[in-house]
Amino acid sequence: MNKLEHIGIAVRNLDESNKLFARLLGVEHYKIEVVEREGVRTSFFKVGEVKIELLEATRPDSAIATFIEKRGEGIHHLAFDVSSVEKKIAAFTEDGFKVLSDKPMTGADNKMIAFLHPKSTNGVLVEICQDKGS
Ligand code: ZN
């Protein structure tokens, strides 16, 4: 892992939370992006080197909707920057971690991503991500 890239936070209402986090962090979000496949609308804040990603469900069967229903709003995942998501998927799988996809997927913020199942990481949903380039 190269660095902590962002922290994902599940919220019920993105517009309200954007205002709250702007007050909290002292910066405005710099983008809003919908990831249709995941059923989420996200916003991003930058605090120093680390980003905060707020995630709102866009439909009831979204993983974020399920998460909030079970656990309420709060920290949803930690995302680490890696040089190659594809290589990390293979390496983590080999090492006994449960990776949720066998290929990199397109995520928000111009990234290729994959997730490690929290059952294999002490209850923490871990995302690995890599810049797609332009
Ligand atoms: Zn994320």
Side-chain angles (χ1 to χ4, degrees):
M1 311 284 209
N2 298 330
K3 62 173 186 180
L4 181 65
E5 215 279 336
H6 65 266
I7 297 170
I9 298 174
V11 303
R12 286 183 203 281
N13 183 315
L14 193 68
D15 297 328
E16 304 259 312
S17 296
N18 278 340
K19 288 182 206 150
L20 178 73
F21 275 79
R23 278 166 51 214
L24 178 69
L25 303 173
V27 288
E28 298 286 335
H29 65 277
Y30 65 90
K31 75 155 90 171
I32 290 186
E33 198 177 332
V34 174
V35 184
E36 205 48 66
R37 180 179 40 80
E38 301 285 338
V40 294
R41 194 162 72 103
T42 67
S43 68
F44 285 87
F45 294 79
K46 193 147 198 233
V47 184
E49 279 287 288
V50 176
K51 296 170 190 165
I52 302 291
E53 175 185 30
L54 302 183
L55 304 119
E56 171 197 67
T58 57
R59 46 174 202 259
D61 67 339
S62 155
I64 294 300
T66 311
F67 177 88
I68 288 178
E69 200 172 296
K70 280 193 195 149
R71 300 172 60 171
E73 294 177 296
I75 294 182
H76 178 257
H77 65 271
L78 299 182
F80 293 93
D81 178 75
V82 298
S83 306
S84 165
V85 170
E86 195 168 9
K87 283 184 187 156
K88 278 289 183 192
I89 289 174
F92 281 136
T93 303
E94 173 81 25
D95 198 23
F97 290 97
K98 190 167 161 37
V99 184
L100 290 175
S101 56
D102 52 8
K103 280 197 297 256
M105 303 174 295
T106 301
D109 203 27
N110 198 38
K111 307 272 190 208
M112 295 308 291
I113 64 167
F115 285 100
L116 273 63
H117 195 287
K119 270 193 181 138
S120 65
T121 48
N122 283 176
V124 180
L125 178 62
V126 172
E127 174 186 339
I128 50 176
C129 61
Q130 167 194 0
D131 272 326
K132 257 203 267 184
S134 44

